[in-house]
Amino acid sequence: SQHSGRQDLAKAYYEEAESAAREYGISDQWLHIIEGNLGNLALNRHDYSEASVRFERALAAARKRDLPYSVANALLDLGTTDLARHEYEQAVVWFRECLPICESLEIAEFISWVLEGVAGISVFRGDAVRGARLLGVAKAIQDQAGIDGTYYPVALELRERTTRAAQKLIGEAEFTAAWAAGRELGLGEAIALAKSALD
């Protein structure tokens, strides 16, 4: 398809940029961005093992240069990748580190995706009410920030998966009520709810 053709072209350009950055000795400055982009292309293809390798390289490069925003981004992507492949306990590790960074930098967009990830973990552990509340507040944050999420397709697939699993556990009416209650949560309450779910 035309879309996968564009993805292949983007991948080729990023890989070329990566080798050029290494050749000119400036890879330290760009590596976290290039690896993160290659990771997201792999994630969109559902190639989770390549995505993980790329995001871990992005994380290492961002840590080395002490770039908290980029560290948070890589942690979020690693958590999302592990959730997508049902590695829930490893996702907990990434999200647990990611959330306080997002909170201190006040990155609403990242917080919303972490909340959705933690919702998935909560539902997997059998707490569908908490999961539904977290999905509700995440959507409220995204609506307020004007985020439609189409740039993060795997996260949208995970939202659907979490929603279906939660509805199966508690029924549609209870899910809807918990989701609506979640939309009313303040940001601080939502973060506290997510942190307690990651304990």
Side-chain angles (χ1 to χ4, degrees):
S1 76
Q2 192 178 2
H3 180 67
S4 66
R6 282 202 302 271
Q7 295 243 336
D8 291 343
L9 189 60
K11 185 174 191 282
Y13 282 139
Y14 287 131
E15 283 169 348
E16 197 177 324
E18 188 174 31
S19 61
R22 286 186 203 283
E23 189 183 332
Y24 290 106
I26 56 167
S27 64
D28 262 15
Q29 287 144 281
W30 297 102
L31 202 59
H32 65 285
I33 296 170
I34 294 166
E35 289 289 1
N37 287 333
L38 283 165
N40 276 297
L41 288 172
L43 186 57
N44 291 345
R45 292 195 310 274
H46 302 99
D47 183 345
Y48 303 130
S49 51
E50 187 188 341
S52 261
V53 168
R54 296 291 188 181
F55 292 140
E56 287 195 27
R57 286 184 195 158
L59 178 61
R63 284 198 205 283
K64 187 176 173 186
R65 297 199 60 227
D66 192 21
L67 302 168
Y69 180 94
S70 299
V71 167
N73 197 355
L75 290 166
L76 168 61
D77 286 333
L78 281 162
T80 301
T81 302
D82 277 327
L83 266 191
R85 58 182 175 181
H86 302 273
E87 296 284 349
Y88 292 94
E89 295 314 313
Q90 183 54 53
V92 167
V93 175
W94 302 125
F95 289 139
R96 192 182 282 146
E97 185 183 351
C98 185
L99 192 54
I101 303 171
C102 296
E103 185 182 10
S104 67
L105 295 176
E106 299 180 346
I107 314 169
E109 176 187 4
F110 289 2
I111 290 170
S112 74
W113 294 122
V114 172
L115 294 178
E116 290 203 4
V118 179
I121 291 162
S122 296
V123 173
F124 170 74
R125 289 173 168 176
D127 192 345
V129 171
R130 190 200 310 253
R133 290 177 73 198
L134 287 167
L135 286 176
V137 70
K139 189 68 171 71
I141 293 166
Q142 289 165 9
D143 290 348
Q144 202 171 358
I147 299 161
D148 74 355
T150 51
Y151 66 90
Y152 208 16
V154 170
L156 296 184
E157 290 166 21
L158 288 172
R159 179 195 292 165
E160 284 301 309
R161 188 172 95 189
T162 302
T163 299
R164 281 196 308 272
Q167 286 171 336
K168 196 173 170 184
L169 278 172
I170 57 175
E172 209 162 320
E174 196 175 342
F175 173 86
T176 304
W179 189 88
R183 284 189 70 91
E184 303 304 314
L185 289 176
L187 187 58
E189 292 173 295
I191 289 169
L193 186 66
K195 282 180 177 172
S196 67
L198 292 170
D199 285 343

